[in-house]
Amino acid sequence: MSTGKLLETLAGTRFPTPPIWLMRQAGRYLPEYRAVRADTGSFLDLCYTPDRAMEVTLQPVRRFGLDAAIIFSDILVVPDGLGQKVWFEEGEGPKLEPLTEPADFARLTRARLPEKLAPVYQAIRQTRSALAKGTALLGFAGAPFTLACYMIEGGGSRDFAKVKAWAYRHPDSFSLLIDLLVDAIVDHLVNQIDAGADAVQLFDTWAGLLPEEQLFSWSLEPMVRIAHAVHARHPKTPIIAFPRAIGPATLMYRRSDAFAALSIDTGIGAHWAARELQPHICLQGNLDPMMLVAGGVALEREATRILDKLGHGPFIFNLGHGVVPQTPPEHVAQLVEIVRNWKPSTS
Ligand code: CP3
């Protein structure tokens, strides 16, 4: 059993300073990542080569002494595991052969997912044994709605108009896709925990596209179902939910029956979050990733402001979204220093 600051924080222990890790902490901003990436075929080859996935997972932990590693993979391995064609085009992001009608997703199957994603689970096993006991290893998955966005759109999009048209016109068939994804995500998370992941995060990157009622049905409710099903197998494994860009609707996600923590994006005010969310649930977030690009005084001021507002309650320091490629690695080291040297004010 691994322990350490992050897991203990999720279990309710308070430390003088919060644990810290960063979404997308492995990636192109690190020269050592670019070296491994340049020497490996495609992005998915990197995800599916356990030695290399382990190496890039460990890089930011070695360099910065973060409290958690997050397994190097991608949310789109789930559609890949279901049999949808997924590839990454250099400089263009992910591409998928889009689902255009309900018959397209009748062809997707969970049967081969464990076998197809076995290299991810192998990477987790190896990484867990290479990591210090006090450093948590996080697994993750995309939430059903965000996966459906990429699967129907065939990649990223400015407005995700196709997925919305399908979901609003044909809610019954859209629900079937969401249900299939719930089952596949439960399999994927349980397999990651079986392999050694200490906690898992559900990324609902595009939740903010949905109006309130649909947000409930297609983001929150499926995420709660996933959490309950994962807990039926692994009752003690903490689940962190990240419903991005939903503003005050975050109030609905204070579900301590399902989630151990809520990851909040930069659009949520730290003061409001401390008052409305933190009394109910551990929070994670929410520094603007561009502050990490800026560095210097701007970074120091903003990180300290967040710590002063949220550092007194159950809290994990993180960004509001992922590290961007133009981030100078020295600024990450500066941020870790700021967080570790923070002194809670007594007022
Ligand atoms: O360090 C970590 O956080 C672990 C690895 C991780 C990646 N993707 C690696 C990656 C995680 C947790 C993800 C999640 C992910 N992937 C999300 C949810 C979080 C978010 O950012 O909103 C989403 C929407 C995706 C889908 C995805 N994968 C996109 C849109 C892109 C292209 C964007 C880009 O930065 O190029 C990817 C590719 C990707 N996933 C990269 C990395 C490091 C860049 C690929 C490269 O090396 O060129």
Side-chain angles (χ1 to χ4, degrees):
M1 264 309 273
S2 26
T3 51
K5 202 169 180 180
L6 184 107
L7 293 175
E8 288 178 51
T9 298
L10 287 168
T13 305
R14 300 281 300 285
F15 295 88
T17 64
I20 174 172
W21 71 279
L22 305 173
M23 291 191 264
R24 286 281 185 93
Q25 63 192 29
R28 278 170 298 188
Y29 77 107
L30 290 177
E32 59 270 36
Y33 171 86
R34 293 197 298 270
V36 174
R37 180 75 186 79
D39 186 48
T40 313
S42 69
F43 173 74
L44 279 178
D45 290 334
L46 178 53
C47 296
Y48 293 148
T49 309
D51 288 343
R52 296 190 178 203
M54 169 176 80
E55 169 56 23
V56 297
T57 300
L58 295 173
Q59 286 172 347
V61 178
R62 266 189 219 125
R63 202 191 245 258
F64 307 116
L66 300 154
D67 294 295
I70 179 163
I71 191 66
F72 190 84
S73 177
D74 198 83
I75 62 167
L76 298 175
V77 300
V78 164
D80 192 42
L82 287 169
Q84 185 170 12
K85 203 168 160 213
V86 178
W87 69 103
F88 284 81
E89 249 153 58
E90 236 32 76
E92 276 188 56
K95 302 273 179 218
L96 298 86
E97 199 163 77
L99 305 178
T100 55
E101 53 181 29
D104 290 341
F105 64 78
R107 282 195 288 274
L108 303 177
T109 168
R110 277 162 68 208
R112 282 187 293 278
L113 183 140
E115 186 192 321
K116 181 109 200 216
L117 303 188
V120 177
Y121 312 135
Q122 179 57 25
I124 291 176
R125 270 189 292 275
Q126 290 180 208
T127 307
R128 185 55 275 173
S129 44
L131 263 182
K133 240 177 116 193
T135 309
L137 178 58
L138 304 177
F140 69 90
F145 179 70
T146 289
L147 290 183
C149 283
Y150 288 100
M151 291 167 82
I152 292 176
E153 218 69 38
S157 161
R158 195 173 44 81
D159 52 11
F160 288 96
K162 291 195 188 103
V163 67
K164 286 187 157 188
W166 185 335
Y168 296 170
R169 280 193 194 124
H170 309 291
D172 292 343
S173 90
F174 191 68
S175 291
L176 291 177
L177 176 61
I178 294 286
D179 290 348
L180 170 72
L181 288 168
V182 165
D183 292 340
I185 292 160
V186 170
D187 291 345
H188 186 47
L189 293 176
V190 167
N191 293 342
Q192 291 180 69
I193 299 164
D194 287 340
D198 300 301
V200 294
Q201 177 154 324
L202 271 171
F203 289 89
D204 213 352
T205 303
W206 298 113
L209 293 169
L210 292 171
E212 194 164 317
E213 198 177 308
Q214 285 74 14
L215 183 68
F216 178 83
S217 326
W218 291 328
S219 169
L220 176 61
E221 197 273 338
M223 283 166 79
V224 168
R225 266 198 284 153
I226 290 167
H228 288 165
V230 169
H231 284 146
R233 299 281 298 277
H234 289 287
K236 297 214 167 79
T237 304
I239 299 175
I240 304 169
F242 179 42
R244 194 174 70 91
I246 62 170
T250 312
L251 290 171
M252 292 197 291
Y253 289 72
R254 298 177 300 184
R255 289 286 299 265
S256 51
D257 63 311
F259 313 129
L262 270 186
S263 199
I264 55 174
D265 65 88
T266 304
I268 304 268
H271 183 71
W272 181 84
R275 203 179 57 213
E276 304 295 337
L277 304 173
Q278 209 173 23
H280 306 271
I281 196 159
C282 176
L283 295 180
Q284 171 178 281
N286 73 339
L287 183 78
D288 186 342
M290 295 314 287
M291 286 289 176
L292 210 47
V293 176
V297 182
L299 175 60
E300 166 112 44
R301 272 210 199 115
E302 180 61 3
T304 306
R305 186 187 69 85
I306 291 171
L307 285 161
D308 289 343
K309 298 281 187 214
L310 292 169
H312 300 273
F315 185 54
I316 298 163
F317 202 100
N318 206 314
L319 304 180
H321 201 181
V323 175
V324 297
Q326 66 269 37
T327 304
E330 317 77 81
H331 294 176
V332 176
Q334 184 197 349
L335 175 62
V336 172
E337 281 282 293
I338 295 167
V339 173
R340 299 252 161 90
N341 293 327
W342 174 66
K343 298 268 186 301
S345 58
T346 43
S347 60

